[in-house]
Amino acid sequence: MDVMKKVPVREQDPKVRATNFDEVCLGYNKEEAMEEASRCLNCKNAQCVKACPVSIDIPGFISKVKDGDFEEAGYVIGESSSLPAICGRVCPQESQCEGKCIRGIKGEAVSIGKLERFVADYARENGIKPKKCETSNGRKVAVIGSGPAGLTCAGDLAKMGYDVTIFEALHEPGGVLVYGIPEFRLPKEDVVKKEIENVMSLGVKIETNVVIGKSVTIDELMDNEGFEAVFIGSGAGLPRFMGIPGETASGVYSANEYLTRSNLMKAFRDDYDTPINPGKKVAVVGGGNVAMDAARTALRLGADVHIVYRRSEEELPARVEEVHHAKEEGIVFDLLTNPTEILVDENGWVCGMKCIRMELGEPDESGRRSPVEIPGSEFTIDVDTVIMSLGTSPNPLISSTTEGLETNRRKCIVASEEDGKTSKEGVFAGGDAVTGAATVILAMGAGKAAAKGIDEYLRNK
Amino acid sequence: MYKILKAQNLASNIFLMDVEAKRVASAAQPGQFVIVKIDEKGERIPLTICDYDREKGTVTIVVQTIGASTVRMQKLKAGDSFRDFVGPLGKPSEFINEDPDSLKRKKILFVGGGLGTAPVYPQVKWLHEHGIDADVIVGAKTKDLVILEDEMEKVAGNLYITTDDGSYKRKGMVTEVIKDLVEKGNKYDVCVAIGPMIMMKFVCLLTKELGIPTIVSMNPIMVDGTGMCGACRLIVGDEVKFACVDGPEFDGHLVDFDQAMKRQNLYKTEEGRAMLREQEGDTHHGGCGSC
């Protein structure tokens, strides 16, 4: 074995997986996991832990894996994270824990993400449940939204003995884990559902089909239903569009709609009623992880797919692994290209997209070189479906119905990074609802910080 | 689970249900809607709220069979349950926040076309309970499709019923009734028109000519109903609006109906196919366009 290199992880063949919705990455087996774990240097001053938004004791759990004590490894992770099977799959490890791994200086970083995934999968397959708090303090806390922020906050509060109820607007709990991230990256039945069941086994209740701000307001929850504190983890669900002509045509989707139809409503399965027009020639506009997810979903539904992105490959905001997987599967990248108009036929359907070539100019406020149009370079691409994946912003349903809750100009709720406190007493917030669209693990970190903040607040109340 | 307490056919393809949904019943206002899902594999169907009883904790919905899920829904009986029932969604009708005195001085005309009679009912009832009697026109294709006549009679000022084929009461379109009423000297400050897109379009063309501000209720394709998917986007004036969170009620004189009707056709074939499969079961062979 070459200690400088990661133990390779088995994946489904690109040609085969391009036609199915099964998980792409197959994960480590016991032997592979123990071998990879032996590469960890068990640093005293572990940089990886500092780079983890929920501060998992990474060398601690890896040393248990090395010894073959997978159950104990699970408990070590469980002290810091309620959703390890999910994080092991969707965290951007390369820019967090693995990005700081000392092994990575001369060779490849330890595969921390794949090891976390292995430990979590082992626990699930062997029926190992997280440890529950024995004594309840009977104090009620409401958590709004059952995505990564809400589940983490609820799980941590339940471990401290609080009586927690999560309110979810959709008919299934999980938030973006269920409606956004596709099956082939994050299996719903085996991974997400089981991990949510683990959180519920800590005593957390989940009430689905409750739209806070519509079905009931935060004030009503606190005044009439006895909740002493509220955590808002309602995410960033509002899709953005470009504002170009033709955008309301049939065949133009937000990535949210396309993914929700396929992931949450299971349109890709024949036994569900949900309709979806997969399209034959699909253009996905945008270059983030959600754009990759939408493109790879369309590909699996049988379409010929192009990603249209206005900057160059270097600036693609998606994870390197996702871009790599998308290319392997046959997705074409039209870089330095920006749509200017969607062409519509006489029945109101998309029949093409006008684009213009771009070049990179001076860096903008994000530090990336800003794209500039090349005059006279317009051309038309032949598409019948356009998926807009330009990012999302927080839904104003809650902020507009909760008096005294401060938001900023981007409609994000203003909350302290340290403890999640908002401008309204007893109300905390975290995750995409505060930061705008970000990652699963950052939302979990915010949920964790808010759980601590809520505990402190209620102890002193 | 949300229990169905009453299920009743109003016409061959229109049915009414009382559903137990405490949170929705206690928060519902005229103008709002719900999303219903029969079971795990059903679609999320947006439906207008026809009535609500805060004490009993029930919500009344009126449904027309248009797709696979609504055909399955009609087969449910009292005692059965829906897996999901979420709401109330959308903004309530604007008049409920208006100053009661100025509202009382207003003359309001409601126009309900076919199934659109159902969402008109709670608005007229709300006004009636606040001491305001509004005129109501109910239009339907034929006698059997006139719904909620007795209920509407109790809460409306004057009720005018018209059928396209003349099989019941007056013959003709709702627009002809509006014209007649105005010609006879009735003055209306506002018109609320809810029904098929094509009806709302023509009512708006007429009321614009007559100078009557008009509100319509849009029911486009939706998935989540909370502003998340953007499937329900409409062009209103020069802006793109989401019917689920910005509406469902809009200034009818600003809505681009032609664009909205094109979008409405988006899933017609798929839904139609799913419905045929549902109705014909194992005997389904051909005719749906996909086999």
Side-chain angles (χ1 to χ4, degrees):
Chain A
M1 140 190 205
D2 181 354
V3 291
M4 287 304 163
K5 287 206 162 141
K6 289 180 177 188
V7 173
V9 69
R10 287 162 292 120
E11 287 178 350
Q12 257 202 90
D13 182 81
K15 283 209 186 71
V16 177
R17 71 179 194 240
T19 62
N20 69 42
F21 277 84
D22 299 337
E23 201 174 6
V24 169
C25 175
L26 303 173
Y28 285 147
N29 60 27
K30 282 185 196 175
E31 293 72 31
E32 289 163 341
M34 287 169 74
E35 190 181 333
E36 180 64 18
S38 71
R39 296 182 60 231
C40 176
L41 299 170
N42 204 355
C43 307
K44 284 241 152 42
N45 182 15
Q47 297 303 308
C48 53
V49 180
K50 289 182 195 159
C52 172
V54 297
S55 313
I56 291 173
D57 177 5
I58 293 166
F61 97 77
I62 291 183
S63 72
K64 296 291 174 199
V65 175
K66 195 163 76 185
D67 299 342
D69 190 352
F70 309 128
E71 182 169 346
E72 198 50 41
Y75 290 132
V76 173
I77 299 176
E79 282 166 20
S80 313
S81 171
S82 310
L83 310 170
I86 294 168
C87 288
R89 287 170 166 85
V90 301
C91 265
Q93 289 100 8
E94 68 276 9
S95 57
Q96 295 174 355
C97 53
E98 294 181 23
K100 290 283 185 306
C101 178
I102 301 301
R103 272 273 182 227
I105 297 173
K106 282 189 184 151
E108 289 180 359
V110 175
S111 247
I112 301 169
K114 301 287 185 285
L115 288 173
E116 180 185 27
R117 170 191 160 141
F118 167 77
V119 169
D121 288 356
Y122 177 89
R124 184 181 67 245
E125 283 155 15
N126 291 282
I128 301 162
K129 289 273 164 197
K131 289 175 181 161
K132 195 182 163 180
C133 174
E134 297 303 326
T135 49
S136 160
N137 64 22
R139 302 181 79 172
K140 286 172 74 176
V141 180
V143 169
I144 302 169
S146 61
L151 287 172
T152 302
C153 186
D156 278 18
L157 286 167
K159 282 185 205 159
M160 299 175 202
Y162 289 95
D163 176 5
V164 187
T165 304
I166 301 182
F167 295 97
E168 168 55 48
L170 290 171
H171 57 271
E172 292 290 346
V176 73
L177 306 170
V178 168
Y179 75 73
I181 303 175
E183 183 74 20
F184 54 85
R185 270 212 303 136
L186 188 61
K188 308 300 161 221
E189 204 63 31
D190 290 345
V191 176
V192 179
K193 213 173 166 183
K194 293 285 153 41
E195 216 127 87
I196 292 170
E197 281 169 14
N198 279 348
V199 172
M200 291 175 80
S201 76
L202 298 169
V204 173
K205 287 167 276 202
I206 301 182
E207 199 181 325
T208 52
N209 297 320
V210 183
V211 182
I212 301 296
K214 289 288 174 189
S215 312
V216 63
T217 63
I218 287 183
D219 289 310
E220 286 166 343
L221 286 177
M222 298 180 87
D223 297 344
N224 308 337
E225 300 193 23
F227 290 98
E228 293 187 64
V230 176
F231 173 74
I232 306 170
S234 51
L238 226 54
R240 284 197 200 112
F241 288 92
M242 290 187 79
I244 57 173
E247 233 175 351
T248 54
S250 303
V252 182
Y253 297 87
S254 70
N256 259 5
E257 181 189 356
Y258 199 83
L259 289 170
T260 300
R261 281 185 184 277
S262 181
N263 300 334
L264 173 73
M265 305 301 294
K266 311 255 187 273
F268 70 90
R269 280 171 53 170
D270 286 342
D271 56 338
Y272 279 70
D273 287 345
T274 313
I276 192 163
N277 276 305
K280 287 193 180 70
K281 288 184 177 171
V282 177
V284 178
V285 183
N289 287 319
V290 176
M292 299 306 137
D293 286 346
R296 295 170 69 197
T297 297
L299 179 98
R300 283 162 171 75
L301 290 169
D304 181 13
V305 188
H306 286 234
I307 293 257
V308 176
Y309 180 59
R310 61 196 181 126
R311 301 182 206 243
S312 73
E313 173 142 8
E314 213 172 293
E315 289 83 17
L316 279 172
R319 289 184 63 195
V320 177
E321 182 178 327
E322 303 307 327
V323 176
H324 170 72
H325 278 154
K327 282 186 179 166
E328 269 188 345
E329 289 164 12
I331 286 164
V332 182
F333 284 70
D334 296 337
L335 301 165
L336 291 166
T337 303
N338 207 26
T340 54
E341 182 184 352
I342 293 163
L343 305 173
V344 186
D345 71 12
E346 68 278 9
N347 298 317
W349 272 94
V350 174
C351 63
M353 186 162 78
K354 245 194 214 165
C355 296
I356 188 160
R357 300 239 183 255
M358 312 291 278
E359 60 188 353
L360 293 178
E362 295 300 311
D364 62 12
E365 71 259 29
S366 72
R368 296 179 299 180
R369 293 176 66 193
S370 59
V372 188
E373 291 183 356
I374 302 174
S377 66
E378 290 90 351
F379 64 104
T380 301
I381 56 173
D382 176 25
V383 290
D384 58 21
T385 301
V386 177
I387 302 173
M388 291 294 177
S389 181
L390 309 157
T392 52
S393 50
N395 198 320
L397 272 187
I398 291 175
S399 49
S400 66
T401 54
T402 310
E403 221 163 293
L405 188 66
E406 200 189 319
T407 54
N408 65 19
R409 64 184 169 83
R410 294 184 299 135
K411 301 259 162 62
C412 298
I413 297 169
V414 177
S416 143
E417 208 175 305
E418 207 176 302
D419 59 7
K421 255 192 199 129
T422 68
S423 57
K424 191 177 170 76
E425 191 183 338
V427 178
F428 297 73
D432 286 3
V434 170
T435 57
T439 61
V440 168
I441 188 69
L442 284 175
M444 288 177 58
K448 205 170 178 58
K452 259 193 206 154
I454 289 170
D455 180 48
E456 219 158 273
Y457 165 75
L458 290 177
R459 277 172 191 278
N460 297 323
K461 198 178 147 187
Chain B
M1 297 296 262
Y2 303 82
K3 200 168 173 192
I4 300 164
L5 300 182
K6 175 177 154 189
Q8 179 193 349
N9 282 334
L10 300 182
S12 61
N13 63 341
I14 301 177
F15 56 97
L16 172 149
M17 283 173 170
D18 284 348
V19 182
E20 205 173 58
K22 290 201 172 62
R23 285 199 189 275
V24 186
S26 70
Q29 298 285 2
Q32 292 185 295
F33 64 99
V34 290
I35 284 187
V36 180
K37 194 165 172 288
I38 306 180
D39 53 23
E40 195 195 330
K41 292 175 182 174
E43 277 183 82
R44 291 173 66 94
I45 311 163
L47 298 169
T48 44
I49 296 173
C50 176
D51 206 354
Y52 42 83
D53 187 324
R54 303 213 199 283
E55 274 170 30
K56 282 192 204 150
T58 59
V59 177
T60 306
I61 51 171
V62 173
V63 189
Q64 185 161 19
T65 53
I66 46 155
S69 293
T70 43
V71 168
R72 279 207 283 144
M73 202 186 268
Q74 193 175 20
K75 293 177 186 157
L76 299 178
K77 294 182 278 298
D80 292 339
S81 294
F82 290 116
R83 183 187 187 272
D84 302 287
F85 194 95
V86 59
L89 300 166
K91 289 184 179 162
S93 304
E94 257 174 36
F95 62 72
I96 71 162
N97 295 317
E98 240 178 88
D99 171 55
D101 291 328
S102 84
L103 189 60
K104 269 183 193 156
R105 284 193 294 273
K106 274 191 181 166
K107 187 94 174 119
I108 308 176
L109 174 66
F110 284 89
V111 182
L115 190 75
T117 312
V120 161
Y121 174 70
Q123 303 198 17
V124 179
K125 184 182 170 191
W126 188 95
L127 289 167
H128 178 72
E129 284 168 353
H130 289 76
I132 303 152
D133 286 329
D135 285 356
V136 180
I137 301 170
V138 167
K141 268 201 183 114
T142 183
K143 185 183 177 187
D144 293 343
L145 298 176
V146 176
I147 58 169
L148 302 169
E149 184 183 354
D150 297 343
E151 289 83 352
M152 200 67 92
E153 190 78 63
K154 283 182 202 142
V155 294
N158 299 299
L159 175 63
Y160 309 94
I161 294 177
T162 182
T163 49
D164 294 1
D165 62 358
S167 55
Y168 188 57
K169 300 275 171 100
R170 178 188 168 133
K171 179 180 160 106
M173 302 288 173
V174 291
T175 41
E176 291 162 33
V177 186
I178 300 173
K179 253 188 238 165
D180 284 0
L181 286 173
V182 172
E183 268 166 26
K184 278 181 194 152
N186 288 287
K187 286 202 166 43
Y188 294 103
D189 298 297
V190 63
C191 168
V192 178
I194 310 179
M197 211 84 89
I198 191 82
M199 178 206 93
M200 294 194 284
K201 176 183 168 176
F202 281 102
V203 167
C204 287
L205 286 174
L206 175 65
T207 55
K208 198 166 186 183
E209 223 172 85
L210 298 171
I212 308 171
T214 299
I215 293 161
V216 295
S217 181
M218 304 299 280
N219 190 6
I221 290 161
M222 275 182 201
V223 183
D224 61 292
T226 63
M228 207 183 87
C229 76
C232 64
R233 58 199 190 277
L234 302 163
I235 299 173
V236 181
D238 293 328
E239 287 179 88
V240 173
K241 297 275 186 190
F242 289 1
C244 66
V245 286
D246 300 322
E249 297 189 345
F250 293 100
D251 179 342
H253 294 157
L254 296 179
V255 171
D256 183 341
F257 284 104
D258 295 333
Q259 178 271 340
M261 279 187 274
K262 279 180 183 165
R263 264 192 82 76
Q264 196 78 342
N265 288 332
L266 190 54
Y267 288 103
K268 227 177 193 169
T269 29
E270 268 79 0
E271 262 208 346
R273 285 172 188 163
M275 180 158 85
L276 283 173
R277 274 201 300 274
E278 176 71 27
Q279 284 171 346
E280 300 176 8
D282 294 339
T283 64
H284 175 65
H285 296 292
C288 71
S290 69
C291 51

